[in-house]
């Protein structure tokens, strides 16, 4: 297995990324930053993961936001 020391997403599951973003921003702000229905209309991690796993453009937006978020 190849190491990816410069990839901030290496070793992170989509569920972990989503949970950290929700904890940091909350659903309302996450829905404002990424305009997709699963974040704005009765949001849940389960429904969001289902959508993000089959929608590449939305997953890319979530990953980009995660990389640009100053968690510390």
């Amino acid at each position: 297995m190849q190491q990816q020391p410069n990839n901030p997403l290496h070793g992170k599951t989509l569920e972990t990324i989503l949970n950290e973003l929700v904890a940091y921003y909350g659903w309302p702000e996450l829905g404002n930053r990424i305009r997709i229905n699963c974040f704005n209309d009765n949001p849940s991690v389960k429904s969001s993961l289902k959508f993000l796993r089959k929608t590449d453009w939305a997953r890319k937006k979530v990953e980009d936001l995660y990389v640009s978020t100053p968690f510390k």
Side-chain angles (χ1 to χ4, degrees):
M1 189 169 178
Q2 190 176 17
Q3 293 290 333
Q4 297 181 16
N6 294 327
N7 182 352
L9 300 175
H10 181 69
K12 298 274 186 180
T13 65
L14 183 57
E15 185 173 5
T16 299
I17 291 169
L18 185 58
N19 282 325
E20 289 183 23
L21 287 173
V22 170
Y24 187 82
Y25 291 111
W27 286 113
E29 181 60 22
L30 193 56
N32 285 335
R33 290 176 179 264
I34 303 173
R35 308 291 263 168
I36 53 179
N37 285 338
C38 63
F39 290 170
N40 292 308
D41 184 26
N42 196 22
S44 74
V45 171
K46 184 177 179 181
S47 67
S48 298
L49 286 173
K50 184 176 180 181
F51 176 76
L52 294 170
R53 285 182 176 135
K54 61 184 177 179
T55 313
D56 291 338
W57 64 265
R59 181 180 180 141
K60 171 104 173 79
K61 287 184 180 243
V62 168
E63 290 172 345
D64 290 347
L65 178 61
Y66 181 82
V67 170
S68 68
T69 299
F71 288 104
K72 296 178 174 125

